[in-house]
Amino acid sequence: DTGVSQDPRHKITKRGQNVTFRCDPISEHNRLYWYRQTLGQGPEFLTYFQNEAQLEKSRLLSDRFSAERPKGSFSTLEIQRTEQGDSAMYLCASSSRDSRVYGYTFGSGTRLTVV
Amino acid sequence: SQQGEEDPQALSIQEGENATMNCSYKTSINNLQWYRQNSGRGLVHLILIRSNEREKHSGRLRVTLDTSKKSSSLLITASRAADTASYFCATVSTGANSKLTFGKGITLSVRP
């Protein structure tokens, strides 16, 4: 297990198209997070899963955004009808129950460009 | 919304010098963490300090926490060119799930 994997690394899409990103967390980690980061800013929380349950969603996650984590393993983040304002780096992170001791492990992110 | 603010926003030092970065936050916390991000990459966890701790060390890193002032500092000693990156503090608020709330980050440049 080499860490948190995100796919694709880069995605360019036309405005109005739908996109889906995938995150494969560290296998022993039951907690999975999605963040969005724009240039020059820190990551902003989008949503959080514990196993397959989505426990919290940010107000940033509009109706066009949906995330799933079937069977508590990998997760997908879908953006429907993309807008230019959705252009950002989308980061996935995972943690175990010991996150209060060891912190999160982040993936390398998916950079979305909406043209 | 972002929890904290780092200070300074940008820091440029010579290799071998120490780098000190500060972070302030707003709410009561369970712990505070520092992360590093190289350009265009994901974040790497550096160090975590719990609310009942005041100082922690890890290699060339030293972090302090003052909960009365709601502030933390990260010291990198004997900096190297490879330390050039953005550094973020992030907090886990008391009573929240384990969600991290990040500041805007500090850009550190270490000149060889």
Side-chain angles (χ1 to χ4, degrees):
Chain A
D1 195 354
T2 56
V4 177
S5 298
Q6 291 189 245
D7 182 69
R9 288 293 311 277
H10 303 274
K11 179 70 176 178
I12 300 175
T13 190
K14 291 184 178 180
R15 190 175 52 187
Q17 297 293 306
N18 299 344
V19 294
T20 300
F21 310 141
R22 177 179 171 123
C23 172
D24 286 273
I26 292 175
S27 55
E28 313 89 75
H29 287 182
N30 64 337
R31 299 178 185 196
L32 186 147
Y33 309 81
W34 284 98
Y35 283 80
R36 181 174 71 186
Q37 185 179 26
T38 53
L39 199 61
Q41 300 294 313
E44 294 179 296
F45 171 78
L46 292 178
T47 191
Y48 156 60
F49 289 86
Q50 185 166 315
N51 300 312
E52 66 274 13
Q54 188 174 20
L55 297 186
E56 187 173 347
K57 291 169 59 173
S58 164
R59 286 172 293 178
L60 292 174
L61 217 64
S62 74
D63 291 345
R64 297 184 297 107
F65 288 70
S66 63
E68 294 182 343
R69 192 183 182 196
K71 303 178 183 177
S73 56
F74 70 92
S75 176
T76 58
L77 177 69
E78 181 183 17
I79 308 174
Q80 296 182 326
R81 305 181 303 282
T82 52
E83 301 172 357
Q84 286 189 320
D86 297 331
S87 295
M89 175 80 89
Y90 290 83
L91 294 163
C92 176
S94 69
S95 71
S96 67
R97 288 187 179 182
D98 291 335
S99 65
R100 296 187 176 195
V101 176
Y102 298 114
Y104 289 9
T105 303
F106 277 84
S108 295
T110 294
R111 181 166 296 283
L112 173 66
T113 303
V114 182
V115 297
Chain B
S1 62
Q2 303 201 287
Q3 158 80 300
E5 292 188 6
E6 291 97 338
D7 171 60
Q9 290 187 335
L11 181 61
S12 181
I13 59 174
Q14 199 74 33
E15 202 165 30
E17 294 179 338
N18 296 341
T20 299
M21 291 169 270
N22 303 301
C23 166
S24 61
Y25 57 91
K26 298 172 185 174
T27 65
S28 295
I29 62 170
N30 176 280
N31 67 67
L32 184 145
Q33 305 177 30
W34 285 89
Y35 286 80
R36 183 186 74 216
Q37 185 178 37
N38 290 91
S39 181
R41 307 287 295 185
L43 288 88
V44 174
H45 179 258
L46 295 177
I47 194 165
L48 180 153
I49 186 165
R50 286 178 287 207
S51 60
N52 62 352
E53 297 175 314
R54 292 296 167 258
E55 186 172 314
K56 206 164 182 180
H57 297 256
S58 177
R60 295 185 296 114
L61 304 179
R62 171 178 168 256
V63 64
T64 62
L65 179 64
D66 187 336
T67 52
S68 66
K69 294 181 180 178
K70 290 187 168 59
S71 68
S72 173
S73 68
L74 175 69
L75 170 68
I76 303 174
T77 59
S79 63
R80 305 166 181 168
D83 294 328
T84 295
S86 293
Y87 291 81
F88 295 90
C89 74
T91 55
V92 176
S93 297
T94 305
N97 57 45
S98 53
K99 174 182 77 176
L100 276 175
T101 304
F102 286 85
K104 293 185 178 181
I106 298 170
T107 301
L108 173 66
S109 297
V110 182
R111 303 185 301 274

